[in-house]
Amino acid sequence: MLATMGALGLAPTAEAAGREPVFRAPRAGDFTLRGKGAAKVVIVGGGIAGLTTAYELGKAGYDCTILEARDRTGGRNFTVRGGDTNLDLYGNRQTARFSDGQYMNAGPGRIPQWMVTMDYCRELGVPVEVFTNSNANAYLFNEKAGMTAPVRYRTAKADVYGYVSELLAKATGKGALDSEITAEDQERLLEFLKSFGDIGSKLTYTGSERRGYSVDPAAAGTPGIELGPVPSASEVFASGVGRYFSFEFGYDQAMLMFQPVGGMDRIPAALTREVGKRRIRTGAVVQKITDKAHGVTVTYTEQGRTHTLDADYCVAALPPNILAKTSHNLGPAVQSALEACTPSSAGKIGLEYRNRWWESDHRIYGGITETDLDLAHIWYPSYGHHGKRGLIVGYYNTGSQADNYAKLTPREREERAVAQGVKIHGEKYRSELATSFSHHWRQTPHLEASWHSLSGGPDAPVFAPLNKAAGRVYFAGDYLSYADAWQHGAFTSARKTVAALHERVLA
């Protein structure tokens, strides 16, 4: 009753009370209590935003139809398994030959625990497991900075924190902070630095067990041998390894993080199941969106034949760069806003190995190695530990690095990625390789972007036409959020659109 009164404007809303509005999914009762009927909605794009729109509207009985240009739903949520085939815009066709149980999340690969994506996993019955985003045993390697060998994450972190603590402690002791904090606070700071940098009472960093061991502690008679020698402060700072540690402080990167058990595409698969396949037309390439006084007409091609679909409303949930190339009558302001959404580049390669040598030889169980090589990131699997085989994401790069790899043939991408990886992991990175599959989003038909950059953010004036309805056409997608490139952005954008459309229909 309270929800109904709120929808009718007879009760204060959370927004009016100064709080962030809480999403309430539409319900069939919203119509029966008013003697109204649900509307017909055509949704262009079967990615996370489009599927979520249909899923939430479906709870109230809306007649939704999704038109998806590709042969599958999920959009950029794409989990590559054995048998999957992909043809890029350069004409490269690949068929994955991964063995059973091995997969690569070519798009989103991790979920921060605070994101609404976790709520949908719970609601849809998608089981999750921990994704290891940071691992003390992973490596850092900056060849351009002069490093000749990789260093463990824990070792580099201990050295950077140790020397920073030593320098700050010495500056405090020389009175450099007298005008900044009280003498009492300086004592507190020194006590913190002793522990934070492991510099002890002498306020000097000399290394400790935090760096790791060359011989691990074991039974009596084997106390362990601490890793050494300790590099100088100049060598540590010159290596540039310190720039990687801010990563784990990012609000959207901090542990714990999660992934769906069995692959990220378990999420769109669950949404597709709930929406119903009969409401989804794949292979339907939209050619034109026409807004009318009392409805919307969408023209699309399917298997070489042209069709039209009439509805009361339309939700455009396809990438803005693709919508910008689609004929419409939504006005120049909408077109300018779409063209202002700059597509970004990203690519990944999955390398399946005959054995999990990174676990047995390097003691690395999940996590990410960071490097200034054009690989950028190497991801170790957070699933299948101690299994017979395993799959590493051999590069996850963006921008020009991704574009440069995309121009190569799949075989050349593999060769380049492996040659770079050998510098970190040695010859097994090549000799134990079984197969690979590479994917680049700027060259993926009907998507042509990994995510989008919006100058000034989605609330900038130029994007205002996309944050409201253009006649009877609404817009949704992660680009219209402050979590672009995350499924959370697509979910919340869809919710915002669903709430606005439902309110309009009820009124």
Side-chain angles (χ1 to χ4, degrees):
M1 182 180 294
L2 181 62
T4 301
M5 292 174 65
L8 292 172
L10 301 177
T13 63
E15 187 174 12
R19 300 189 302 273
E20 180 182 358
V22 177
F23 174 74
R24 185 186 70 83
R27 292 178 290 191
D30 298 340
F31 292 114
T32 56
L33 289 172
R34 295 169 176 78
K36 291 178 175 287
K40 183 176 182 179
V41 182
V42 57
I43 300 164
V44 182
I48 295 299
L51 289 169
T52 303
T53 300
Y55 171 64
E56 295 295 358
L57 289 176
K59 294 176 179 178
Y62 281 84
D63 181 6
C64 295
T65 300
I66 295 177
L67 300 178
E68 168 55 47
R70 306 184 74 198
D71 60 0
R72 62 171 185 82
T73 57
R76 285 162 290 160
N77 183 325
F78 176 34
T79 299
V80 183
R81 296 184 176 81
D84 287 340
T85 298
N86 183 62
L87 176 66
D88 66 25
L89 295 176
Y90 286 134
N92 296 305
R93 182 178 294 277
Q94 297 180 81
T95 298
R97 292 180 172 80
F98 297 150
S99 57
D100 290 345
Q102 303 301 320
Y103 62 84
M104 174 182 70
N105 290 318
R110 50 195 168 188
I111 309 172
Q113 56 193 326
W114 59 269
M115 288 187 171
V116 73
T117 310
M118 292 293 285
D119 298 330
Y120 276 97
C121 286
R122 182 190 309 110
E123 181 174 330
L124 295 167
V126 177
V128 297
E129 61 190 357
V130 171
F131 174 91
T132 306
N133 205 37
S134 58
N135 185 339
N137 262 18
Y139 289 111
L140 302 178
F141 181 59
N142 289 334
E143 185 179 59
K144 296 174 185 176
M147 292 179 67
T148 57
V151 62
R152 297 279 191 178
Y153 192 96
R154 71 163 77 250
T155 306
K157 191 173 185 180
D159 291 343
V160 170
Y161 284 14
Y163 280 123
V164 167
S165 297
E166 176 184 331
L167 293 172
L168 184 53
K170 289 178 177 177
T172 303
K174 292 183 178 181
L177 300 182
D178 288 352
S179 62
E180 302 295 330
I181 56 177
T182 65
E184 186 178 17
D185 283 341
Q186 289 184 46
E187 287 299 318
R188 294 169 178 155
L189 174 61
L190 288 174
E191 286 303 310
F192 163 74
L193 293 173
K194 291 176 184 177
S195 173
F196 179 74
D198 204 12
I199 57 177
S201 59
K202 295 183 179 180
L203 307 183
T204 300
Y205 179 67
T206 58
S208 70
E209 55 83 25
R210 292 185 183 181
R211 303 185 73 246
Y213 288 82
S214 58
V215 177
D216 288 327
T222 310
I225 301 175
E226 291 184 7
L227 195 63
V230 180
S232 67
S234 177
E235 291 172 321
V236 170
F237 296 139
S239 70
V241 294
R243 68 173 180 259
Y244 296 116
F245 304 133
S246 61
F247 168 78
E248 64 191 56
F249 295 130
Y251 189 64
D252 59 0
Q253 295 291 349
M255 290 294 288
L256 286 172
M257 300 190 81
F258 292 85
Q259 63 182 12
V261 175
M264 191 63 74
D265 66 350
R266 297 296 194 243
I267 296 175
L271 284 167
T272 298
R273 181 183 63 249
E274 293 298 321
V275 171
K277 290 186 178 181
R278 64 185 179 83
R279 296 186 177 277
I280 302 172
R281 300 178 189 176
T282 56
V285 182
V286 171
Q287 304 294 329
K288 186 176 182 179
I289 299 175
T290 306
D291 179 57
K292 300 178 179 180
H294 302 291
V296 180
T297 297
V298 176
T299 304
Y300 66 97
T301 59
E302 186 178 9
Q303 295 181 342
R305 304 180 68 174
T306 300
H307 306 269
T308 60
L309 181 62
D310 295 320
D312 298 306
Y313 298 95
C314 172
V315 176
L318 68 170
N321 52 308
I322 302 300
L323 182 56
K325 297 187 292 185
T326 303
S327 178
H328 64 77
N329 67 337
L330 305 180
V334 167
Q335 183 64 22
S336 295
L338 293 171
E339 293 176 353
C341 300
T342 305
S344 298
S345 299
K348 291 180 182 178
I349 188 170
L351 304 173
E352 182 181 343
Y353 287 92
R354 299 181 184 90
N355 59 79
R356 302 173 76 96
W357 49 263
W358 55 92
E359 294 177 353
S360 59
D361 296 0
H362 298 264
R363 298 292 187 181
I364 297 176
Y365 290 82
I368 302 172
T369 278
E370 306 284 1
T371 177
D372 65 0
L373 301 174
D374 58 21
L375 308 175
H377 316 280
I378 297 176
W379 285 15
Y380 309 95
S382 293
Y383 68 94
H385 301 311
H386 291 171
K388 183 178 181 181
R389 290 192 172 217
L391 186 145
I392 284 178
V393 175
Y395 61 71
Y396 175 18
N397 48 26
T398 60
S400 60
Q401 291 180 333
D403 290 337
N404 290 337
Y405 268 90
K407 294 174 183 176
L408 304 175
T409 66
R411 174 60 65 182
E412 290 171 336
R413 297 170 192 167
E414 177 192 293
E415 292 174 352
R416 182 174 181 84
V418 170
Q420 300 290 307
V422 166
K423 298 177 182 180
I424 298 172
H425 281 298
E427 191 55 34
K428 279 192 176 181
Y429 206 82
R430 178 183 288 110
S431 63
E432 299 303 314
L433 181 64
T435 187
S436 71
F437 186 97
S438 51
H439 188 81
H440 294 78
W441 289 104
R442 282 299 296 275
Q443 289 71 43
T444 301
H446 307 298
L447 293 172
E448 300 179 28
S450 53
W451 51 80
H452 298 82
S453 174
L454 275 62
S455 179
D459 285 319
V462 67
F463 303 114
L466 305 178
N467 286 308
K468 59 183 180 182
R472 287 175 170 261
V473 178
Y474 290 79
F475 307 91
D478 64 289
Y479 71 101
L480 292 175
S481 77
Y482 287 94
D484 56 296
W486 293 96
Q487 293 175 98
H488 172 83
F491 279 122
T492 55
S493 176
R495 283 181 164 189
K496 179 174 179 288
T497 295
V498 165
L501 192 156
H502 188 49
E503 181 180 1
R504 180 174 176 177
V505 172
L506 291 178

